[in-house]
Short mmCIF file of all heavy atoms in Angstrom, two decimals:
data_model
loop_
_atom_site.label_atom_id
_atom_site.label_comp_id
_atom_site.label_asym_id
_atom_site.label_seq_id
_atom_site.Cartn_x
_atom_site.Cartn_y
_atom_site.Cartn_z
N ASN A 1 101.69 189.83 274.13
CA ASN A 1 100.97 189.76 275.40
C ASN A 1 100.60 191.14 275.91
O ASN A 1 99.51 191.34 276.48
CB ASN A 1 101.79 189.02 276.45
CG ASN A 1 101.95 187.54 276.11
OD1 ASN A 1 101.11 186.97 275.39
ND2 ASN A 1 103.02 186.92 276.60
N ASN A 2 101.52 192.10 275.73
CA ASN A 2 101.26 193.46 276.21
C ASN A 2 100.42 194.25 275.22
O ASN A 2 99.90 195.34 275.55
CB ASN A 2 102.57 194.22 276.45
CG ASN A 2 103.36 193.62 277.60
OD1 ASN A 2 102.77 193.07 278.55
ND2 ASN A 2 104.69 193.74 277.54
N ASN A 3 100.31 193.72 273.97
CA ASN A 3 99.53 194.39 272.92
C ASN A 3 100.00 195.83 272.73
O ASN A 3 99.19 196.73 272.51
CB ASN A 3 98.02 194.34 273.22
CG ASN A 3 97.18 194.61 271.98
OD1 ASN A 3 97.60 194.32 270.85
ND2 ASN A 3 95.99 195.18 272.16
N ALA A 4 101.34 196.02 272.87
CA ALA A 4 101.90 197.37 272.70
C ALA A 4 103.33 197.25 272.18
O ALA A 4 104.06 196.31 272.52
CB ALA A 4 101.89 198.12 274.02
N ALA A 5 103.73 198.23 271.38
CA ALA A 5 105.09 198.23 270.81
C ALA A 5 106.11 198.74 271.84
O ALA A 5 105.79 199.60 272.66
CB ALA A 5 105.14 199.09 269.55
N ILE A 6 107.30 198.18 271.78
CA ILE A 6 108.40 198.64 272.65
C ILE A 6 109.13 199.76 271.91
O ILE A 6 109.67 199.55 270.83
CB ILE A 6 109.36 197.49 272.97
CG1 ILE A 6 108.62 196.34 273.66
CG2 ILE A 6 110.52 197.98 273.83
CD1 ILE A 6 109.48 195.11 273.87
N GLU A 7 109.14 200.96 272.52
CA GLU A 7 109.75 202.11 271.83
C GLU A 7 111.27 202.11 271.95
O GLU A 7 111.97 202.43 270.99
CB GLU A 7 109.17 203.41 272.41
CG GLU A 7 107.70 203.61 272.05
CD GLU A 7 107.21 204.99 272.45
OE1 GLU A 7 108.01 205.75 273.06
OE2 GLU A 7 106.06 205.30 272.13
N ARG A 8 111.83 201.82 273.13
CA ARG A 8 113.29 201.80 273.34
C ARG A 8 113.73 200.35 273.48
O ARG A 8 113.47 199.72 274.50
CB ARG A 8 113.69 202.61 274.55
CG ARG A 8 113.46 204.11 274.36
CD ARG A 8 113.74 204.88 275.64
NE ARG A 8 113.62 206.32 275.42
CZ ARG A 8 112.44 206.97 275.40
NH1 ARG A 8 111.31 206.30 275.56
NH2 ARG A 8 112.42 208.28 275.21
N PHE A 9 114.37 199.88 272.46
CA PHE A 9 114.73 198.47 272.42
C PHE A 9 116.15 198.27 272.95
O PHE A 9 117.06 199.01 272.59
CB PHE A 9 114.62 197.94 270.99
CG PHE A 9 114.06 196.57 270.94
CD1 PHE A 9 112.68 196.39 270.89
CD2 PHE A 9 114.89 195.46 270.99
CE1 PHE A 9 112.15 195.11 270.86
CE2 PHE A 9 114.36 194.19 270.96
CZ PHE A 9 112.98 194.01 270.90
N PRO A 10 116.40 197.28 273.81
CA PRO A 10 117.75 197.06 274.38
C PRO A 10 118.67 196.35 273.39
O PRO A 10 118.25 195.48 272.63
CB PRO A 10 117.47 196.18 275.59
CG PRO A 10 116.23 195.42 275.22
CD PRO A 10 115.41 196.34 274.38
N ILE A 11 119.98 196.76 273.44
CA ILE A 11 121.05 196.06 272.70
C ILE A 11 121.86 195.27 273.72
O ILE A 11 122.41 195.85 274.67
CB ILE A 11 121.97 197.03 271.96
CG1 ILE A 11 121.16 197.87 270.95
CG2 ILE A 11 123.10 196.29 271.24
CD1 ILE A 11 120.53 197.07 269.85
N THR A 12 121.92 193.96 273.56
CA THR A 12 122.61 193.11 274.53
C THR A 12 123.96 192.63 273.96
O THR A 12 124.15 192.55 272.75
CB THR A 12 121.76 191.88 274.89
OG1 THR A 12 121.45 191.17 273.69
CG2 THR A 12 120.46 192.33 275.56
N ALA A 13 124.88 192.32 274.88
CA ALA A 13 126.23 191.89 274.48
C ALA A 13 126.18 190.49 273.89
O ALA A 13 125.60 189.57 274.48
CB ALA A 13 127.16 191.92 275.69
N ASP A 14 126.80 190.34 272.72
CA ASP A 14 126.87 189.03 272.08
C ASP A 14 127.93 188.15 272.73
O ASP A 14 127.84 186.92 272.66
CB ASP A 14 127.18 189.18 270.60
CG ASP A 14 126.05 189.91 269.85
OD1 ASP A 14 124.90 189.86 270.31
OD2 ASP A 14 126.34 190.54 268.81
N VAL A 15 128.97 188.77 273.33
CA VAL A 15 130.06 188.02 273.98
C VAL A 15 130.40 188.70 275.29
O VAL A 15 130.02 189.86 275.54
CB VAL A 15 131.32 187.97 273.08
CG1 VAL A 15 131.06 187.22 271.79
CG2 VAL A 15 131.85 189.37 272.79
N GLY A 16 131.11 187.98 276.14
CA GLY A 16 131.60 188.56 277.38
C GLY A 16 133.06 188.98 277.23
O GLY A 16 133.79 188.43 276.40
N GLY A 17 133.49 189.95 278.04
CA GLY A 17 134.87 190.41 277.99
C GLY A 17 135.03 191.80 278.56
O GLY A 17 134.26 192.22 279.43
N VAL A 18 136.02 192.51 278.05
CA VAL A 18 136.32 193.86 278.51
C VAL A 18 136.18 194.81 277.33
O VAL A 18 136.65 194.52 276.22
CB VAL A 18 137.75 193.95 279.09
CG1 VAL A 18 138.12 195.39 279.44
CG2 VAL A 18 137.85 193.08 280.34
N VAL A 19 135.50 195.94 277.57
CA VAL A 19 135.35 196.94 276.52
C VAL A 19 136.71 197.60 276.28
O VAL A 19 137.27 198.23 277.18
CB VAL A 19 134.30 197.99 276.90
CG1 VAL A 19 134.24 199.10 275.84
CG2 VAL A 19 132.93 197.34 277.06
N THR A 20 137.24 197.45 275.08
CA THR A 20 138.54 198.05 274.76
C THR A 20 138.41 199.32 273.93
O THR A 20 139.37 200.09 273.84
CB THR A 20 139.41 197.04 273.98
OG1 THR A 20 138.72 196.63 272.79
CG2 THR A 20 139.73 195.82 274.84
N GLU A 21 137.23 199.55 273.35
CA GLU A 21 137.03 200.79 272.59
C GLU A 21 135.56 201.13 272.55
O GLU A 21 134.71 200.28 272.30
CB GLU A 21 137.57 200.63 271.17
CG GLU A 21 137.53 201.92 270.37
CD GLU A 21 138.13 201.80 268.99
OE1 GLU A 21 138.64 200.70 268.67
OE2 GLU A 21 138.07 202.77 268.22
N LEU A 22 135.25 202.39 272.81
CA LEU A 22 133.89 202.91 272.71
C LEU A 22 133.76 203.59 271.36
O LEU A 22 134.47 204.56 271.06
CB LEU A 22 133.64 203.92 273.84
CG LEU A 22 132.22 204.44 274.01
CD1 LEU A 22 131.26 203.31 274.36
CD2 LEU A 22 132.18 205.51 275.10
N MET A 23 132.84 203.10 270.51
CA MET A 23 132.80 203.52 269.12
C MET A 23 131.57 204.35 268.76
O MET A 23 131.35 204.70 267.60
CB MET A 23 132.88 202.29 268.21
CG MET A 23 134.07 201.39 268.56
SD MET A 23 134.15 199.90 267.59
CE MET A 23 134.79 200.54 266.04
N ALA A 24 130.73 204.67 269.74
CA ALA A 24 129.55 205.50 269.50
C ALA A 24 129.22 206.27 270.78
O ALA A 24 129.63 205.88 271.89
CB ALA A 24 128.37 204.66 269.05
N GLU A 25 128.48 207.37 270.62
CA GLU A 25 128.09 208.19 271.75
C GLU A 25 126.57 208.25 271.85
O GLU A 25 125.84 208.00 270.87
CB GLU A 25 128.65 209.61 271.60
CG GLU A 25 130.17 209.70 271.55
CD GLU A 25 130.82 209.38 272.88
OE1 GLU A 25 130.12 209.43 273.91
OE2 GLU A 25 132.03 209.08 272.89
N GLN A 26 126.11 208.58 273.05
CA GLN A 26 124.66 208.72 273.25
C GLN A 26 124.12 209.83 272.35
O GLN A 26 124.69 210.91 272.26
CB GLN A 26 124.39 209.04 274.72
CG GLN A 26 122.89 209.02 275.06
CD GLN A 26 122.65 209.06 276.55
OE1 GLN A 26 123.30 208.34 277.30
NE2 GLN A 26 121.73 209.92 276.99
N GLY A 27 123.00 209.53 271.67
CA GLY A 27 122.40 210.49 270.74
C GLY A 27 122.78 210.24 269.30
O GLY A 27 122.16 210.83 268.39
N ASP A 28 123.77 209.39 269.07
CA ASP A 28 124.16 209.08 267.68
C ASP A 28 123.06 208.27 267.00
O ASP A 28 122.40 207.43 267.63
CB ASP A 28 125.45 208.29 267.65
CG ASP A 28 126.66 209.13 268.04
OD1 ASP A 28 126.52 210.36 268.13
OD2 ASP A 28 127.75 208.55 268.26
N TYR A 29 122.85 208.54 265.73
CA TYR A 29 121.92 207.75 264.93
C TYR A 29 122.73 206.74 264.14
O TYR A 29 123.65 207.09 263.40
CB TYR A 29 121.10 208.63 263.97
CG TYR A 29 119.99 207.86 263.31
CD1 TYR A 29 118.73 207.78 263.89
CD2 TYR A 29 120.22 207.20 262.10
CE1 TYR A 29 117.72 207.06 263.28
CE2 TYR A 29 119.21 206.47 261.49
CZ TYR A 29 117.96 206.40 262.08
OH TYR A 29 116.95 205.67 261.50
N LEU A 30 122.41 205.48 264.31
CA LEU A 30 123.18 204.39 263.70
C LEU A 30 122.34 203.63 262.69
O LEU A 30 121.15 203.40 262.89
CB LEU A 30 123.67 203.42 264.78
CG LEU A 30 124.49 204.01 265.94
CD1 LEU A 30 124.85 202.92 266.93
CD2 LEU A 30 125.74 204.68 265.41
N GLU A 31 123.02 203.26 261.61
CA GLU A 31 122.40 202.36 260.66
C GLU A 31 122.63 200.93 261.13
O GLU A 31 123.48 200.65 261.98
CB GLU A 31 123.00 202.56 259.26
CG GLU A 31 122.74 203.93 258.66
CD GLU A 31 121.27 204.14 258.32
OE1 GLU A 31 120.54 203.12 258.19
OE2 GLU A 31 120.86 205.30 258.19
N ARG A 32 121.89 200.04 260.56
CA ARG A 32 122.00 198.64 260.93
C ARG A 32 123.41 198.13 260.61
O ARG A 32 123.93 198.35 259.51
CB ARG A 32 120.96 197.83 260.17
CG ARG A 32 120.95 196.36 260.54
CD ARG A 32 119.86 195.65 259.75
NE ARG A 32 119.82 194.24 260.06
CZ ARG A 32 119.00 193.37 259.50
NH1 ARG A 32 118.13 193.80 258.59
NH2 ARG A 32 119.02 192.11 259.83
N GLY A 33 124.07 197.48 261.58
CA GLY A 33 125.41 196.91 261.40
C GLY A 33 126.55 197.84 261.80
O GLY A 33 127.72 197.42 261.77
N MET A 34 126.24 199.08 262.21
CA MET A 34 127.31 200.00 262.62
C MET A 34 127.80 199.63 264.02
O MET A 34 127.02 199.22 264.88
CB MET A 34 126.80 201.45 262.59
CG MET A 34 126.53 201.95 261.18
SD MET A 34 125.98 203.69 261.13
CE MET A 34 127.48 204.50 261.68
N PRO A 35 129.13 199.77 264.29
CA PRO A 35 129.69 199.32 265.57
C PRO A 35 129.39 200.28 266.72
O PRO A 35 129.31 201.49 266.53
CB PRO A 35 131.19 199.27 265.29
CG PRO A 35 131.41 200.29 264.22
CD PRO A 35 130.16 200.27 263.37
N ILE A 36 129.27 199.69 267.90
CA ILE A 36 129.08 200.48 269.12
C ILE A 36 130.29 200.29 270.05
O ILE A 36 130.83 201.26 270.59
CB ILE A 36 127.79 200.07 269.86
CG1 ILE A 36 126.59 200.16 268.91
CG2 ILE A 36 127.57 200.94 271.08
CD1 ILE A 36 125.31 199.68 269.54
N TYR A 37 130.70 199.05 270.26
CA TYR A 37 131.81 198.74 271.16
C TYR A 37 132.76 197.76 270.49
O TYR A 37 132.39 197.04 269.56
CB TYR A 37 131.31 198.07 272.46
CG TYR A 37 130.33 198.85 273.27
CD1 TYR A 37 128.96 198.58 273.17
CD2 TYR A 37 130.75 199.83 274.16
CE1 TYR A 37 128.04 199.27 273.93
CE2 TYR A 37 129.83 200.53 274.93
CZ TYR A 37 128.48 200.24 274.80
OH TYR A 37 127.57 200.94 275.56
N GLU A 38 134.00 197.72 271.04
CA GLU A 38 134.92 196.61 270.75
C GLU A 38 135.18 195.92 272.07
O GLU A 38 135.60 196.54 273.06
CB GLU A 38 136.25 197.11 270.15
CG GLU A 38 137.14 195.97 269.69
CD GLU A 38 138.38 196.47 268.96
OE1 GLU A 38 139.39 196.74 269.65
OE2 GLU A 38 138.32 196.61 267.73
N ILE A 39 134.92 194.63 272.09
CA ILE A 39 135.01 193.84 273.33
C ILE A 39 136.06 192.75 273.12
O ILE A 39 136.08 192.08 272.09
CB ILE A 39 133.65 193.21 273.69
CG1 ILE A 39 132.59 194.32 273.86
CG2 ILE A 39 133.74 192.38 274.95
CD1 ILE A 39 131.17 193.80 274.03
N ALA A 40 136.93 192.60 274.12
CA ALA A 40 138.00 191.60 274.02
C ALA A 40 137.99 190.70 275.23
O ALA A 40 137.76 191.14 276.36
CB ALA A 40 139.36 192.29 273.89
N ASN A 41 138.27 189.43 274.99
CA ASN A 41 138.46 188.46 276.06
C ASN A 41 139.95 188.43 276.39
O ASN A 41 140.77 188.07 275.55
CB ASN A 41 137.97 187.09 275.61
CG ASN A 41 138.02 186.06 276.72
OD1 ASN A 41 138.68 186.25 277.73
ND2 ASN A 41 137.31 184.96 276.53
N LEU A 42 140.33 188.79 277.62
CA LEU A 42 141.74 188.91 278.01
C LEU A 42 142.27 187.66 278.67
O LEU A 42 143.36 187.69 279.27
CB LEU A 42 141.91 190.12 278.95
CG LEU A 42 141.45 191.47 278.38
CD1 LEU A 42 141.74 192.59 279.37
CD2 LEU A 42 142.08 191.75 277.04
N ASP A 43 141.55 186.54 278.60
CA ASP A 43 142.06 185.29 279.17
C ASP A 43 143.27 184.78 278.37
O ASP A 43 144.10 184.06 278.90
CB ASP A 43 140.97 184.23 279.19
CG ASP A 43 139.86 184.56 280.18
OD1 ASP A 43 140.10 185.42 281.06
OD2 ASP A 43 138.76 183.99 280.08
#
């Protein structure tokens, strides 16, 4: 509809919970499948 490419694509959370480990930093170059966060459900 916009007839334009999105340059910065968002990564959304697959599950809800609490971030227990931060596994990447801003500016890191990641390959497909590399981890960014560890999220845990504490219920």
